[in-house]
Amino acid sequence: IIKKDTVVKVIAKPIIDSIKTKSVIKRDTIVKTSPKTIIKKDTVVKVIAKPIIDSVKTKSVIKKDTLVKATPKPIINKDSIAKQQLVLKKIKETQIEDSITRKEILAALEELSKLKREQERIVEYLTKRINKKPIEIYTNADSVTVELYDSGIHDNDSVSVIYNSHLVVDKQELQVNKPIKFNLKLDKNKKYNELVLVAENLGTLPPNTAVMIITDQFNKRQEVFLTADLSHNEVVYFIKIINPK
């Protein structure tokens, strides 16, 4: 039989010890013993801010000013583009001019070669063949039109024509219905303008014969019969009549 007061004393100690063994902690003690796990708002901001900045740096985030300075070469202004276009234009123009110059030189050389061949042929025609007595044609005109036809029957006659030492018809066949046609300008400073008809062959019916029809600028018409062979040239003198003032 235990008194009430005695019971309280006897039981009280084991209860307290039991509570201690279960690690019952006061509220103040919890805050003090675990500060690392409970973080204030300000602390969170400071702790997280540094890793975010480090992460951004690792991704090479560059400011706008830094980007412009780091890549100046690809940025080209309008003046630079205009200068480049002008240079390219000048290069193209120079290339075109060079191309034209080369073409002109080649054309001139070809023309000189052609003239040389013609002069050699003219010299041969005039030195190895005898010129017949000239036929004289008088006119007031500054120029005339000449038409050459085969005389009578087409027999494959071919001729060349030399006018004032220039070849104006080169080895062309005479036709009965279709003329060899060309214009001649008369030089008033010459005593006469000389036309030489050269036979390139004799055709099937020798000699080489032709009909020459001359029409001046006033529509005055004259007709002349010409004959040539491999030894003789037919010659026509065009004489310009100068009217006295």
Side-chain angles (χ1 to χ4, degrees), residues 150 153-159 172-175 201-205 208:
D150 198 349
I153 301 172
H154 178 232
D155 61 344
N156 301 313
D157 289 340
S158 294
V159 297
Q172 291 191 35
E173 186 176 337
L174 294 168
Q175 305 287 336
N201 61 19
L202 300 178
T204 57
L205 299 171
N208 192 319

Side-chain angles (χ1 to χ4, degrees), residues 175-190:
Q175 305 287 336
V176 175
N177 299 320
K178 184 179 180 181
I180 299 171
K181 188 174 181 179
F182 51 92
N183 295 321
L184 300 177
K185 186 175 181 180
L186 303 182
D187 188 349
K188 65 181 180 180
N189 296 319
K190 288 180 177 290

Side-chain angles (χ1 to χ4, degrees), residues 75-191:
I75 298 172
I76 303 172
N77 56 29
K78 291 181 179 180
D79 293 338
S80 178
I81 293 172
K83 287 179 181 178
Q84 288 181 1
Q85 290 176 346
L86 183 62
V87 170
L88 291 173
K89 184 179 179 181
K90 288 183 178 179
I91 291 171
K92 288 181 180 179
E93 288 176 353
T94 303
Q95 290 174 346
I96 292 169
E97 288 176 359
D98 291 343
S99 177
I100 292 172
T101 303
R102 286 194 295 270
K103 288 180 181 179
E104 289 176 347
I105 291 171
L106 290 173
L109 291 173
E110 180 62 27
E111 189 65 23
L112 286 173
S113 179
K114 182 180 178 181
L115 289 173
K116 184 179 179 181
R117 292 193 300 269
E118 289 179 358
Q119 290 300 319
E120 289 174 351
R121 288 179 58 200
I122 290 169
V123 170
E124 182 181 358
Y125 288 147
L126 300 180
T127 57
K128 293 185 177 181
R129 300 186 187 191
I130 300 169
N131 286 343
K132 295 168 69 174
K133 185 180 178 179
I135 300 171
E136 295 179 349
I137 302 294
Y138 293 89
T139 180
N140 293 323
D142 295 325
S143 62
V144 296
T145 300
V146 176
E147 295 174 292
L148 288 174
Y149 293 88
D150 198 349
S151 178
I153 301 172
H154 178 232
D155 61 344
N156 301 313
D157 289 340
S158 294
V159 297
S160 292
V161 176
I162 301 167
Y163 180 70
N164 288 340
S165 300
H166 294 283
L167 196 64
V168 293
V169 175
D170 187 15
K171 297 180 180 178
Q172 291 191 35
E173 186 176 337
L174 294 168
Q175 305 287 336
V176 175
N177 299 320
K178 184 179 180 181
I180 299 171
K181 188 174 181 179
F182 51 92
N183 295 321
L184 300 177
K185 186 175 181 180
L186 303 182
D187 188 349
K188 65 181 180 180
N189 296 319
K190 288 180 177 290
K191 184 178 179 180

Side-chain angles (χ1 to χ4, degrees), residues 7-71:
V7 172
V8 171
K9 289 181 181 179
V10 172
I11 295 172
K13 190 174 181 180
I15 289 170
I16 292 168
D17 291 339
S18 175
I19 291 170
K20 284 184 180 180
T21 57
K22 291 181 181 179
S23 302
V24 177
I25 305 168
K26 293 180 181 180
R27 182 176 181 181
D28 294 338
T29 305
I30 290 172
V31 174
K32 291 180 182 180
T33 55
S34 58
K36 291 183 180 180
T37 55
I38 297 173
I39 303 169
K40 294 180 180 180
K41 184 177 181 180
D42 294 339
T43 306
V44 172
V45 172
K46 291 180 182 179
V47 172
I48 295 174
K50 188 174 181 180
I52 289 173
I53 292 169
D54 291 341
S55 176
V56 170
K57 284 183 180 179
T58 56
K59 291 180 181 178
S60 302
V61 176
I62 305 169
K63 294 180 180 180
K64 185 177 181 180
D65 295 339
T66 307
L67 181 62
V68 173
K69 292 179 181 179
T71 58

